[in-house]
Amino acid sequence: MRNGKSILFLTTVNLSANPRLVKEIDLAIHNGYQVSVILFRLGNWGDENDLRLMAQYRIVRFMRLSALRRPFGMWLLSSILERVSRVLCRFSELPELHAMAIEKRYILLRRAVIHLNGNYDWVIAHNPAAFHPALLAARRFGARFGMDVEDYHPAETQLPHRAHSLRTVMKACLAEADYASYAAPLIREASDRDISIPRGTGFVVLNAFPKAEFPKPDSILTGPLRLVWFSQHIHVGRGLEMVLPVVSRYATTVELHLYGQLNRSFSDRHISGIPNVHLHGALPQHELHSRLGQYDIGLAVDVLSDANRDLVVTNKIMAYLQAGLYLAVTETRAQQLLLAEFPKHGSLFAPSEVHFSEQLETLIVAKEEIRQSRASRHEAALLMDWSTESSKLLQVWAAG
């Protein structure tokens, strides 16, 4: 049933790259909101998956912009403005300049907002380069303004000028935001401390998923210990470099299953010739989640490539937890906090090949115990359901 209110979501990526946005779209639809979304076509596997997602939400008004070189004129203009702004913003604190310096898609998104028609009660931004266009849209339509802060964005870069631009934009937008939702407690803590608190309310919404996507385990696995890892891309810098050499030494006792878009050079260098590594490609979210029940161990081995990685509770961690898998995760502050809440659901190890080898030996020995306790882990993780987390959003949307 329609409630008469409407929401405009803005993002600088596609739906496949932003499952958190997809969950919010679904939440809004099922609670009677009229939904519009401005997003991008990126020229990768996610674009085709987006078509399937958009077909599921036919009542949503989707406006897809191109992040590619066609139309060439707009691509060239946005590229030039991005480069010029990166120079000028070193001498100015104007939020518009810093927003332009963050990402060339800012120009395209801002242009789309200027030409947009409609009436909106809420404008909600996902991704840093969408924050300022969303603020402008909220002003234009007389709407409430919300921000989703999925990462502590200034810590995602080692470039001081880019980090400063992100802080400048976030500070300016938070000062006018009616709410900000944060994907993890430590992200909120860092943002509140280092940048600003929102004009309205701020609260944590964990990256939980609908519990229906994770079937209750109906049998106990047999055979080799089965490890699983997934991401959008199977590539360097995601911790697999320290995992693969170790796994290769356990060809008869361990299997590693990887889901994601495979980088061919990474495969040739790190995966080729390892018989117990199985590649499955990228899958839609619901299909991936339904398959997690086929495995014993969920790997989250992100190395601390930037300070943000110490703060985030990732999608994969939440999916493993909700599926009832045993978590083998590298030591970060966020993952320590999570496993302190669920101490029987996993273990931590230092991010090195030696420590992972020690961890894997322990897991092999504990294989049968891990399998026998799968159902109890699945049951205990039911409290992480998206319906619980999303109720915080519904409360603030309804009050607006």
Side-chain angles (χ1 to χ4, degrees):
M1 180 180 292
R2 295 289 183 184
N3 64 22
K5 292 187 176 182
S6 60
I7 299 178
L8 171 65
F9 291 103
L10 271 62
T11 181
T12 53
V13 295
N14 57 21
L15 297 178
S16 302
N18 199 338
R20 191 169 169 93
L21 170 59
V22 176
K23 288 185 290 189
E24 290 194 18
I25 292 170
D26 187 81
L27 178 71
I29 292 170
H30 284 91
N31 284 274
Y33 289 88
Q34 294 181 323
V35 176
S36 300
V37 185
I38 304 180
L39 69 161
F40 278 81
R41 184 166 55 86
L42 304 182
N44 61 20
W45 69 273
D47 291 341
E48 184 176 350
N49 188 54
D50 272 18
L51 294 177
R52 290 192 290 269
L53 285 169
M54 288 188 287
Q56 295 175 23
Y57 300 119
R58 295 188 181 278
I59 62 173
V60 175
R61 180 189 179 193
F62 288 105
M63 293 157 276
R64 281 215 298 180
L65 309 179
S66 174
L68 309 177
R69 295 194 175 197
R70 294 183 180 180
F72 181 76
M74 283 307 304
W75 175 85
L76 180 63
L77 176 62
S78 62
S79 299
I80 293 172
L81 290 175
E82 178 192 39
R83 293 194 177 191
V84 170
S85 63
R86 287 184 177 181
V87 176
L88 295 179
C89 71
R90 301 187 183 193
F91 310 100
S92 171
E93 293 302 301
L94 190 67
E96 287 87 341
L97 268 179
H98 287 275
M100 204 178 305
I102 289 173
E103 167 64 66
K104 70 177 67 176
R105 293 172 205 165
Y106 165 80
I107 302 296
L108 305 176
L109 196 53
R110 178 169 177 166
R111 180 174 180 268
V113 164
I114 291 172
H115 292 90
L116 184 64
N117 294 316
N119 295 300
Y120 303 98
D121 298 283
W122 279 101
V123 180
I124 300 172
H126 286 252
N127 318 112
F131 292 159
H132 192 261
L135 172 59
L136 297 179
R139 289 174 179 170
R140 181 183 172 208
F141 296 114
R144 300 268 187 161
F145 170 45
M147 296 171 58
D148 183 68
V149 184
E150 189 169 1
D151 293 281
Y152 181 61
H153 300 294
E156 292 182 296
T157 178
Q158 296 181 355
L159 301 174
H161 294 299
R162 179 171 174 81
H164 178 66
S165 290
L166 287 160
R167 287 192 183 93
T168 301
V169 171
M170 290 182 68
K171 184 175 182 179
C173 293
L174 284 166
E176 297 194 44
D178 293 284
Y179 81 84
S181 54
Y182 303 89
L186 293 178
I187 293 174
R188 178 183 179 179
E189 178 184 295
S191 183
D192 287 353
R193 180 186 66 242
D194 300 339
I195 301 176
S196 180
I197 60 174
R199 178 188 67 182
T201 187
F203 50 92
V204 174
V205 178
L206 292 173
N207 275 322
F209 296 94
K211 61 185 178 183
E213 295 186 6
F214 305 93
K216 182 178 180 180
D218 56 4
S219 62
I220 297 177
L221 299 175
T222 59
L225 186 73
R226 295 162 66 86
L227 283 63
V228 64
W229 177 96
F230 71 85
S231 188
Q232 290 185 47
H233 301 279
I234 303 172
H235 204 348
V236 296
R238 289 164 170 82
L240 291 176
E241 297 92 329
M242 71 179 177
V243 168
L244 291 164
V246 177
V247 168
S248 69
R249 300 198 290 267
Y250 295 88
T252 60
T253 55
V254 172
E255 294 177 356
L256 173 59
H257 295 257
L258 303 177
Y259 288 85
Q261 187 176 31
L262 180 65
N263 177 272
R264 183 54 57 186
S265 63
F266 179 82
S267 177
D268 292 343
R269 183 173 180 182
H270 295 282
I271 300 176
S272 180
I274 305 178
N276 54 331
V277 174
H278 304 272
L279 301 168
H280 300 280
L283 293 178
Q285 175 185 299
H286 70 281
E287 186 176 349
L288 173 63
H289 288 173
S290 69
R291 287 198 188 187
L292 291 179
Q294 302 173 12
Y295 306 104
D296 300 299
I297 309 295
L299 286 180
V301 289
D302 296 294
V303 293
L304 294 179
S305 55
D306 57 60
N308 176 64
R309 303 307 302 173
D310 198 34
L311 310 178
V312 298
V313 178
T314 62
N315 289 332
K316 66 163 61 72
I317 287 278
M318 296 303 300
Y320 296 155
L321 187 69
Q322 291 184 258
L325 302 187
Y326 189 87
L327 278 66
V329 300
T330 46
E331 291 176 342
T332 69
R333 289 173 59 203
Q335 290 169 182
Q336 287 173 342
L337 286 175
L338 184 67
L339 286 186
E341 187 176 353
F342 294 92
K344 296 182 180 181
H345 291 239
S347 52
L348 298 156
F349 61 93
S352 74
E353 187 175 322
V354 171
H355 288 98
F356 176 69
S357 181
E358 294 172 351
Q359 174 78 352
L360 188 56
E361 286 279 4
T362 301
L363 295 173
I364 292 171
V365 171
K367 178 177 69 173
E368 295 308 319
E369 180 184 351
I370 289 170
R371 287 175 169 175
Q372 292 291 339
S373 57
R374 167 73 184 282
S376 62
R377 291 194 303 270
H378 181 274
E379 181 71 22
L382 290 176
L383 61 88
M384 304 302 293
D385 183 32
W386 170 244
S387 65
T388 303
E389 293 299 311
S390 64
S391 64
K392 306 167 191 175
L393 291 167
L394 289 177
Q395 289 175 9
V396 73
W397 291 351

